[in-house]
Amino acid sequence: MSEEQNIADDGVGTPAADAAKTHSGFVALIGATNAGKSTLVNRLVGAKVSIVSHKVQTTRAIVRGIAIHKNAQIVFMDTPGIFKPRRRLDRAMVTSAWGGAKDADFIMLLIDSERGLRGDAEAILEGLKDVHQPKILVLNKIDRVKPEDLLKLAQTANEAVKFERTFMISATTGSGCEDLMDHLAEVLPEGPWYYPEDQISDLPMRQLAAEITREKLFLRLHQELPYSSHVETEKWEERKDGSVRIEQVIYVERDSQKKIALGKGGEAIKAISTASRKELSEILEQPVHLFLFVKVRENWGDDPERFREMGLEFPRG
Ligand SMILES: Nc1nc2c(ncn2[C@@H]2O[C@H](COP(=O)(O)OP(=O)(O)OP(=O)(O)O)[C@@H](O)[C@H]2O)c(=O)[nH]1
Ligand SMILES: [Mg+2]
């Protein structure tokens, strides 16, 4: 296409913008839960935009992390892991993940190379056959496996689905990530950037703050509690002395869970609060006074308002 046609076609093109030839687009990361999607998005964005834990089902709704590489703005859509849903919240999470895939320009399937196709990865490959955007296979956690096993895994996955490219990376060490970014910057369509240059996420600060606390809860508490809880930021008050006062509520479903969240003599909630406050003051670059409350809200998992708050569609029935 000639320069002249290019300007006429998009209607808004200016010679200056065309000369810069920016690229932009949406890349959805999908994969089984715990594959390392959020770790990778944070690595590629270069900042924490999505929470990470060793537990499954950490991410609950789509988080957009925005990276700039060369002349491209790449909007990564971190999605909840795909697994066999049981509860209503599970169903909403899985629906949101597939919905994210359908909205993207490119799909990146992330597989934990150590787990391979065991568990949900095989069913996801099957589901990908109905998704028509170009797909890239990313084998993650290569720091944990032998090269020959990686090759076998790449081959099996490529036999099941047509991938444009295969990358072998480690989201924690960063190995292979530069090549992946180079590739994405090159293949994303030409066009103006979607977000201001300094924006790295679409998550409002209040919500990221709630997510950070939920991450600490995931890391600290065991049993079913992390899955039955939900965090909301209720108050955010900037103070004259440059600090901020944040009040958050951890909702649980039963009284017995409230006891676990508080811990003996309040030690669990204290540890969660300290860890969250520390990270929040680093992110916000200001002193944080964090107040956490634990409240029982029976059946919050059936309350449409809570789903809306999390950015999820409420599945009826
Ligand atoms: N060794 C190793 N561990 C990794 C790597 N990438 C991620 N992890 C770990 O894998 C675990 C899960 O990472 P997450 O980023 O939360 O995974 P996820 O796919 O977002 O999980 P869900 O949100 O639950 O779907 C964490 O303990 C990470 O530290 C990697 O390249 N190597
Ligand atoms: Mg995640």
Side-chain angles (χ1 to χ4, degrees):
M1 187 187 280
S2 79
E3 195 70 21
E4 237 175 69
Q5 273 172 317
N6 200 353
I7 294 170
D9 281 348
D10 62 22
V12 292
T14 61
D18 287 337
K21 280 218 171 108
T22 54
H23 290 236
S24 58
F26 290 81
V27 177
L29 275 90
I30 67 162
T33 178
N34 218 41
K37 300 177 291 300
S38 302
T39 310
L40 181 61
V41 168
N42 292 339
R43 153 80 55 186
L44 300 179
V45 169
K48 178 134 155 199
V49 293
S50 193
I51 64 169
V52 168
S53 90
H54 55 285
K55 292 201 171 68
V56 297
Q57 297 158 36
T58 305
T59 305
R60 284 186 175 164
I62 291 177
V63 176
R64 293 195 180 89
I66 306 153
I68 290 173
H69 188 73
K70 301 193 170 155
N71 55 349
Q73 187 176 58
I74 312 169
V75 186
F76 292 103
M77 298 161 77
D78 184 18
T79 67
I82 295 169
F83 59 101
K84 264 204 213 91
R86 275 184 286 268
R87 304 162 304 171
R88 199 194 288 265
L89 176 59
D90 300 345
R91 264 186 291 145
M93 284 159 58
V94 172
T95 305
S96 140
W98 283 116
K102 299 209 163 94
D103 289 341
D105 296 302
F106 271 84
I107 312 285
M108 252 160 66
L109 171 67
L110 205 63
I111 297 183
D112 173 344
S113 325
E114 200 176 30
R115 285 208 89 195
L117 297 182
R118 288 193 297 274
D120 297 302
E122 196 156 19
I124 298 171
L125 278 175
E126 201 46 48
L128 269 182
K129 290 181 181 159
D130 300 327
V131 177
H132 300 293
Q133 293 95 322
K135 302 170 197 73
I136 294 168
L137 175 67
V138 177
L139 303 181
N140 188 32
K141 309 197 188 182
I142 59 167
D143 53 302
R144 301 276 280 266
V145 290
K146 293 202 285 281
E148 58 264 34
D149 294 340
L150 272 178
L151 291 176
K152 248 184 265 158
L153 179 57
Q155 196 179 357
T156 317
N158 274 289
E159 279 161 13
V161 171
K162 187 183 172 296
F163 291 104
E164 314 268 304
R165 287 284 281 270
T166 299
F167 290 88
M168 300 176 183
I169 66 146
S170 167
T172 47
T173 69
S175 159
C177 291
E178 187 70 17
D179 284 350
L180 175 60
M181 288 295 265
D182 284 348
H183 178 72
L184 291 173
E186 206 169 288
V187 295
L188 283 182
E190 231 178 277
W193 291 357
Y194 291 96
Y195 294 92
E197 200 174 334
D198 55 356
Q199 188 169 343
I200 54 167
S201 159
D202 70 335
L203 210 56
M205 208 52 227
R206 288 171 76 108
Q207 220 169 317
L208 179 64
E211 285 287 274
I212 300 281
T213 299
R214 193 164 66 78
E215 180 188 77
K216 305 313 170 203
L217 204 126
F218 258 65
L219 295 173
R220 163 90 198 192
L221 296 175
H222 305 290
Q223 299 151 341
E224 281 300 295
L225 195 91
Y227 306 107
S228 316
S229 56
H230 160 59
V231 181
E232 283 180 28
T233 301
E234 303 242 306
K235 263 201 195 140
W236 188 288
E237 191 194 335
E238 298 285 344
R239 291 177 152 187
K240 284 203 190 78
D241 63 3
S243 67
V244 56
R245 180 193 163 97
I246 304 171
E247 291 182 20
Q248 294 179 327
V249 180
I250 300 172
Y251 288 105
V252 294
E253 290 186 308
R254 288 190 297 278
D255 226 17
S256 57
Q257 293 171 338
K258 179 172 173 175
K259 283 200 188 91
I260 302 172
L262 293 172
K264 225 191 242 160
E267 70 182 358
I269 191 82
K270 245 181 253 161
I272 291 166
S273 175
T274 305
S276 181
R277 177 173 48 77
K278 200 164 160 270
E279 185 162 338
L280 284 172
S281 30
E282 273 163 29
I283 293 178
L284 296 166
E285 296 176 338
Q286 68 188 123
V288 171
H289 309 280
L290 177 63
F291 297 86
L292 295 184
F293 306 92
V294 183
K295 287 190 190 161
V296 180
R297 190 182 258 160
E298 274 173 42
N299 305 325
W300 69 256
D302 294 321
D303 178 357
E305 182 57 24
R306 303 278 75 75
F307 282 63
R308 203 185 55 76
E309 181 79 27
M310 284 184 236
L312 291 172
E313 288 273 333
F314 184 71
R316 304 275 161 192

